[in-house]
Amino acid sequence: MADVVADGLRVLFCGINPSLTTAATGHHFAHPGNRFWPVLHLSGFTPRLLRPAEQRELLHHGLGITNVVARATARADELSAEEYREGGRLLAERVALRRPGWLAVVGVTAYRAAFGDRRARVGPQERRVGGARVWVLPNPSGLNAHWTAETMAREFARLREEAAQTESVRADRSR
């Protein structure tokens, strides 16, 4: 599954791993039950609802997508602890290379497993990964019944607002 990335993005969203639907279509968050695209729009990251096939348009908004683990599965619980740890190590390398302002990991359980941080909660983290600030977001999978699209959108919007402030500060420093 190819990443949707460029150097210096505002936010690099990081999924857990590709679903079988994503792997078959070549488009991130492609499973019909996944709420990533609607939540991204509801939170104000995109001016309209994008379809998974339009994923490259994210780059025009300073956004990108990658995954913690590259292997496609039907469910994230099919991944091993070692796959998460190795995925976290490789993710840190990708982030250091691409230098996004924020790394947004969608799924607190995946973040905990990849980076060995059992106390992590949804929201901004103290740790940096590959030099980027980190925000853990709720998992937009339709299997995550604890969060509605609306409550997820509020959390995504908190990140969007913080990323805009961070970008403004970065721009001021480069002048």
Side-chain angles (χ1 to χ4, degrees), residues 10-139:
R10 278 189 308 138
V11 179
L12 177 59
F13 291 95
C14 182
I16 299 168
N17 72 308
S19 70
L20 297 178
T21 304
T22 288
T25 64
H27 305 300
H28 291 273
F29 300 104
H31 190 279
N34 194 295
R35 299 169 289 179
F36 177 80
W37 297 103
V39 167
L40 202 64
H41 174 61
L42 286 170
S43 67
F45 270 112
T46 59
R48 67 178 178 82
L49 176 59
L50 299 176
R51 296 183 320 272
E54 297 175 300
Q55 64 189 12
R56 302 232 20 112
E57 288 190 32
L58 290 176
L59 298 173
H60 299 293
H61 303 288
L63 309 173
I65 305 176
T66 189
N67 287 292
V68 174
V69 176
R71 183 170 72 92
T73 60
R75 296 174 49 104
D77 61 7
E78 296 174 40
L79 299 172
S80 70
E82 179 54 35
E83 284 177 292
Y84 277 114
R85 282 191 299 274
E86 179 65 6
R89 186 187 69 75
L90 294 172
L91 176 61
E93 290 177 4
R94 286 195 305 278
V95 170
L97 177 68
R98 294 298 187 162
R99 302 177 325 279
W102 285 89
L103 173 66
V105 179
V106 293
V108 68
T109 302
Y111 176 81
R112 289 172 181 160
F115 297 104
D117 185 352
R118 290 193 227 183
R119 295 178 183 228
R121 301 249 186 268
V122 168
Q125 306 300 303
E126 290 186 28
R127 147 187 266 151
R128 287 182 179 251
V129 171
R133 295 184 68 187
V134 178
W135 198 292
V136 175
L137 292 167
N139 184 345

